[in-house]
Amino acid sequence: MLDRLPVIAWTAGPDGAWDYVNARWASRTGASAEQARGRGWVALVHPEDADRCAQAWTEAVRSGQPFEAEARLAVAGGGHRWHLGRAQKEAGGDGRWVGTWTDIEDLKRVQGLDEQALKEDQAARAEAEAANRAKDEFLAMISHELRTPLGAILIWSQLLRNEKMDEAGTARALGMIERSTKTLAKLIDDLLDVSRIIAGKLRLDSRPVQLGPVIDAAVEAAQPDAEAKGLRIDRTLPTETVMVSGDPVRLQQVVGNLLSNAIKFTPEGGRLALVVEATATHARITVTDTGAGIPPEFLPFIFERFRQAETASTRRNKGLGLGLAISRHLVELHGGTIEAASAGEGRGSTFTVTVPLVHASSADAVGHPAVRGEWPAHGGSLDGVRVLVVDDESDARDALALVLERCGAKVTVAASAAEGLAAWRREPHDVLLSDIAMPGEDGYSLMRKVAASRTDGKPVPAAAVTAYATTEDRQRALEAGYRDHLSKPVDPGVLVATVAKLAGRSVALRATIYPSLRA
Ligand code: ADP
């Protein structure tokens, strides 16, 4: 009867020795009944499963409990297939065993696929969790980086308000507030730059540029921090003019980044050197310091985003690990290269930037990088200029008015687009400065109405002053009719220069920072 079963069937004596196999055994395994006898069947089990399977059988025979095992059995024609082995002791009788081997190969294959899918699923989940953790760490880091300067601003401004401070104390407090504000602006600049890079939207405003003044401006901007740590920056420039094709603000940003890192990672008493050389085809800028150095295992990753030599919890240095990633992107947009070298920890670092030279007449060249103002040099440079300032936030309005009035402008303020439009129609103004996002009616709408009210068809001398700082925001403002776009926080010098330009005046400024204030 067992011969007719569609599975391998067998019987064994009470001692566990096989004494019968059905016909299926021979057709399936290609082995004879004789080969299965006693414990001979074990030889047909895959070597990796044989011991486990034989032990399970021995244990079943010893205990009298049912036998069950999965094992690969050699099959006729070669290879193995998974089988499920089961056997039971006959109840009541003389303790003989009856068992079967059922082919479960197909089932196993499906299970295998399931397991594979499960593994892939788990890997995808682990990856998503890691990305999520990285995002959380990043947000924690950003909020820490933002809170530190914000905390300083809050404390020092409260001290200024509540304590009687002498002149030196006041100067110190104001210096702290100014530095913290610049730190905040720089952080936001970096974040915006990174998001532009990720979106592929970072563009250069390229033209022939003299490298010398760009380097000078970067060194000048870094000087106060270097001096505060007692570090001198040795600068070596070639006597001839070095001309490259590029965006002066972005080039200054790259050099500024390298300098600020060199200052940050070099202890007091160290030395910094900046050397510019011209080869036949390239300008080479080298920034060397005698500071912390870079561990060799970190060097390959140094230009990656959010990479810092220390982990988040042990970080001693401020920053988000974005500066070098941005610098590399900027240099590559210029068709150049940037490299880092260090003899190891504590042994200083060298960063080398190369940018292709151009041969243009110096008449086309921009001598100065885009001018970022400090406090405007001439108090009266806006004498008599009538400016209308429209902003729904009174603090922002008052700050703009204060700066402009100090330079001699006559300022009218308005708290909404409607008020602004009424003021513009009521009396003549030379310049309009307007916020963009305002409740009710926005600055775009105001601009269109003001432009429409103009009978001579000339462009309105107007600039948008807004926290919308991306290139697209700037584009939108220009399309709406604004002649310029300043992003908040506005550098006072830039503000005065912009108003002067719109009013047809000229004003002298000293250079500093903030690329995104321009963008
Ligand atoms: P951040 O300075 O904000 O951390 P960067 O991208 O500018 O970001 O620098 C990334 C990391 O590279 C730094 O955190 C530091 O570990 C290392 N690094 C950069 N410049 C120097 C340098 N001059 N000396 C030593 N390490 C440096």
Side-chain angles (χ1 to χ4, degrees):
M1 190 185 75
L2 291 181
D3 268 342
R4 269 188 257 131
L5 281 181
V7 295
I8 298 169
W10 47 271
T11 59
D15 59 352
W18 286 24
D19 48 19
Y20 163 83
V21 285
N22 68 352
R24 184 88 177 169
W25 163 266
S27 64
R28 174 67 8 159
T29 65
S32 66
E34 203 49 43
Q35 279 173 286
R37 227 169 244 295
R39 287 209 155 216
W41 59 272
V42 179
L44 277 93
V45 178
H46 191 284
E48 284 175 20
D49 306 332
D51 282 353
R52 177 175 48 81
C53 192
Q55 265 170 29
W57 176 234
T58 307
E59 180 52 29
V61 172
R62 193 196 59 76
S63 66
Q65 292 300 310
F67 162 79
E68 184 169 318
E70 286 182 4
R72 282 159 290 181
L73 283 191
V75 292
H80 292 81
R81 285 179 71 87
W82 278 101
H83 283 74
L84 171 64
R86 280 194 163 137
Q88 260 191 336
K89 210 171 172 169
E90 277 177 331
D94 49 9
R96 290 181 53 73
W97 291 81
V98 181
T100 53
W101 282 110
T102 312
D103 188 318
I104 54 165
E105 178 72 21
D106 295 340
L107 197 69
K108 273 282 188 194
R109 208 167 279 159
V110 174
Q111 262 177 12
L113 289 179
D114 281 355
E115 268 164 35
Q116 178 68 17
L118 189 71
K119 267 191 203 138
E120 280 167 14
D121 217 38
Q122 280 168 342
R125 192 167 320 146
E127 208 168 289
E129 278 167 6
N132 206 33
R133 254 196 320 277
K135 189 196 73 196
D136 287 348
E137 274 170 24
F138 175 60
L139 286 177
M141 209 153 88
I142 288 188
S143 80
H144 173 263
E145 292 300 322
L146 291 175
R147 266 169 209 283
T148 312
L150 276 176
I153 292 172
L154 198 64
I155 288 172
W156 284 101
S157 50
Q158 280 172 355
L159 281 174
L160 276 179
R161 183 203 293 274
N162 300 326
E163 303 286 316
K164 281 219 160 35
M165 285 216 208
D166 59 11
E167 207 170 308
T170 306
R172 192 157 159 248
L174 292 173
M176 282 298 297
I177 291 174
E178 192 180 336
R179 267 198 302 287
S180 301
T181 314
K182 285 183 178 166
T183 305
L184 281 175
K186 173 82 172 66
L187 273 173
I188 293 165
D189 273 346
D190 281 358
L191 287 170
L192 282 175
D193 277 350
V194 164
S195 81
R196 283 178 197 139
I197 289 173
I198 291 171
K201 285 187 177 156
L202 198 147
R203 306 224 195 296
L204 296 182
D205 191 2
S206 282
R207 59 203 115 141
V209 183
Q210 283 183 32
L211 207 46
V214 173
I215 300 285
D216 289 343
V219 172
E220 213 172 287
Q223 208 75 50
D225 287 343
E227 275 165 22
K229 279 183 92 176
L231 299 169
R232 228 188 59 208
I233 306 175
D234 290 325
R235 181 180 352 176
T236 314
L237 292 161
T239 45
E240 73 273 18
T241 306
V242 181
M243 299 272 288
V244 297
S245 166
D247 183 330
V249 175
R250 294 305 194 173
L251 288 171
Q252 182 182 334
Q253 185 183 356
V254 170
V255 179
N257 261 338
L258 296 182
L259 285 174
S260 85
N261 277 344
I263 294 166
K264 187 156 74 170
F265 294 104
T266 305
E268 269 178 51
R271 288 190 319 277
L272 312 186
L274 190 160
V275 179
V276 179
E277 297 153 294
T279 68
T281 55
H282 285 77
R284 185 164 55 225
I285 306 159
T286 316
V287 177
T288 309
D289 65 64
T290 57
I294 303 155
E297 65 277 9
F298 181 57
L299 260 182
F301 307 107
I302 196 158
F303 293 105
E304 287 180 11
R305 279 197 291 272
F306 306 126
R307 288 289 197 147
Q308 296 180 314
E310 299 148 307
T311 60
S313 54
T314 61
R315 276 170 3 110
R316 272 175 291 126
N317 295 301
K318 291 189 195 157
L320 291 173
L322 294 177
L324 287 178
I326 295 169
S327 295
R328 177 169 66 178
H329 192 84
L330 291 175
V331 169
E332 287 174 354
L333 283 181
H334 280 88
T337 60
I338 183 165
E339 279 164 21
S342 170
E345 265 176 280
R347 303 177 61 184
S349 310
T350 300
F351 287 82
T352 309
V353 173
T354 65
V355 195
L357 290 176
V358 292
H359 300 284
S361 75
S362 52
D364 313 334
V366 179
H368 270 283
V371 175
R372 296 291 107 196
E374 291 186 339
W375 192 262
H378 304 304
S381 55
L382 296 180
D383 267 344
V385 176
R386 292 158 304 179
V387 185
L388 172 61
V389 173
V390 185
D391 196 318
D392 60 309
E393 276 176 83
S394 61
D395 284 352
R397 221 163 45 218
D398 293 349
L400 293 180
L402 184 76
V403 172
L404 296 171
E405 277 166 359
R406 282 203 32 159
C407 292
K410 192 174 161 299
V411 180
T412 316
V413 292
S416 68
E419 252 185 56
L421 187 64
W424 185 264
R425 285 180 173 156
R426 196 168 52 239
E427 49 189 308
H429 284 96
D430 301 307
V431 175
L432 166 67
L433 292 179
S434 176
D435 187 17
I436 293 293
M438 289 183 285
E441 190 177 351
D442 65 20
Y444 300 126
S445 160
L446 169 63
M447 186 64 233
R448 281 189 285 270
K449 288 184 181 167
V450 166
S453 74
R454 201 152 175 134
T455 47
D456 57 9
K458 284 193 192 151
V460 182
V465 182
T466 161
Y468 291 122
T470 68
T471 319
E472 298 79 72
D473 295 323
R474 179 182 171 78
Q475 197 53 40
R476 239 188 118 188
L478 297 181
E479 279 163 11
Y482 288 100
R483 304 255 308 275
D484 212 333
H485 171 274
L486 303 176
S487 49
K488 293 175 178 175
V490 182
D491 183 301
V494 175
L495 176 69
V496 173
T498 304
V499 170
K501 197 172 75 189
L502 289 170
R505 306 278 179 97
S506 72
V507 55
L509 288 174
R510 286 209 289 141
T512 45
I513 34 183
Y514 303 154
S516 84
L517 294 181
R518 175 194 63 150

